[in-house]
Amino acid sequence: MALLAFAGATAQASEPPPPQARNVVLVHGAWADGSSWSEVIPLLHDAGLNVVSVQNPLTSLSDDVAATRRALDRLEGPTVLVGHSYAGTVVSEVGADPRVTGLVYVAARAPDANEDFVELAKGFPTMPVRAGIVASDGFLTLREDAFLAYFADGLPMAKAKALFAAQQPIAADLFAGRTTVAAWRSKPSWYAVSKDDNTTSPELQRFLAKRMGARVVELDSGHLSLLSHPQEIAQLILAAAGR
């Protein structure tokens, strides 16, 4: 069982509970697809929530925002929006929708409006997964060695290799996209930091969580905590949903 450490628990105890949501929209990150939420979805279903896992094309930020908005449109009522990794950028844009009552970031980016996130990230450690990026025909993939050692580390090898086989290439300029809004400035937010992350700097994650004033949980996990620690991620989402 991972050790959980909620930041500012005393101060948060006096805060009003979040609005109760009926729905959750899960948004996957780069080099992945909607099935990366497969361990979390049944736990949310068991709690009585309606769940949609987005299939992002990863061809541009605008394309991924459109896909997430289509998913949101399939649901009625208050909804929690959850983003893993790169999808934190998508969540920060789509989360301004009035139907969204809370935002959950899982080892995720959380740019400010029109912020150059690539430039911001340069102020934090470069993670080893970067050396495994391969460019071809305008798209980027991860080499198998880097995928297994730094992206899917902490998972059983058979599972990690299955994820590698299904990895989704991303547009070479995907990370250059900028948001027009930062929904975390106006919506309550939660953040799961992966303390052993080799893809997104844990120091960067902590900076982003602090900047947005999120309620924070730290997990003894690599980048894919949604697969290695689904119970803890589900608990965080349920907290955001007022459950």
Side-chain angles (χ1 to χ4, degrees):
M1 177 67 68
L3 297 177
L4 306 182
F6 282 88
T10 302
Q12 292 168 11
S14 62
E15 295 179 3
Q20 190 169 89
R22 297 195 314 216
N23 315 305
V24 176
V25 173
L26 304 169
V27 193
H28 68 83
W31 301 301
D33 64 16
S35 68
S36 58
W37 295 102
S38 60
E39 298 295 325
V40 173
I41 291 171
L43 302 175
L44 301 179
H45 281 162
D46 288 347
L49 289 165
N50 302 312
V51 183
V52 174
S53 184
V54 179
Q55 295 290 357
N56 279 330
L58 301 178
T59 46
S60 71
L61 176 58
S62 61
D63 288 345
D64 295 337
V65 165
T68 302
R69 285 183 171 145
R70 287 194 297 272
L72 184 60
D73 288 343
R74 292 166 54 187
L75 303 167
E76 294 183 2
T79 301
V80 169
L81 198 54
V82 187
H84 173 245
S85 194
Y86 151 77
T89 303
V90 180
V91 164
S92 295
E93 179 76 18
V94 179
D97 188 289
R99 292 168 291 186
V100 175
T101 56
L103 307 169
V104 180
Y105 294 81
V106 180
R109 298 175 175 223
D112 208 343
N114 200 40
E115 183 172 57
D116 184 341
F117 193 85
V118 174
E119 189 63 30
L120 173 69
K122 290 179 180 177
F124 296 85
T126 298
M127 305 311 291
V129 77
R130 301 291 300 177
I133 295 176
V134 178
S136 177
D137 296 326
F139 286 85
L140 305 178
T141 57
L142 290 177
R143 286 197 323 264
E144 183 174 14
D145 59 339
F147 191 101
L148 299 179
Y150 305 125
F151 187 77
D153 51 324
L155 300 180
M157 184 56 66
K159 179 64 175 178
K161 287 187 174 181
L163 291 170
F164 172 74
Q167 79 160 299
Q168 188 173 350
I170 69 171
D173 60 353
L174 182 68
F175 296 154
R178 299 193 188 189
T179 62
T180 63
V181 295
W184 48 264
R185 288 199 171 275
S186 59
K187 301 289 177 76
S189 302
W190 288 255
Y191 200 110
V193 173
S194 289
K195 294 196 291 184
D196 302 320
D197 204 317
N198 286 301
T199 295
T200 301
S201 163
E203 291 91 339
L204 175 57
Q205 294 177 44
R206 294 185 182 106
F207 166 82
L208 297 171
K210 182 177 181 180
R211 182 172 71 168
M212 71 172 68
R215 303 171 198 190
V216 180
V217 59
E218 295 218 353
L219 302 175
D220 294 322
S221 174
H223 191 57
L224 297 180
S225 59
L226 63 174
L227 286 165
S228 64
H229 293 73
Q231 290 280 354
E232 290 88 341
I233 298 302
Q235 288 171 11
L236 194 65
I237 295 169
L238 290 173
R243 303 293 182 114

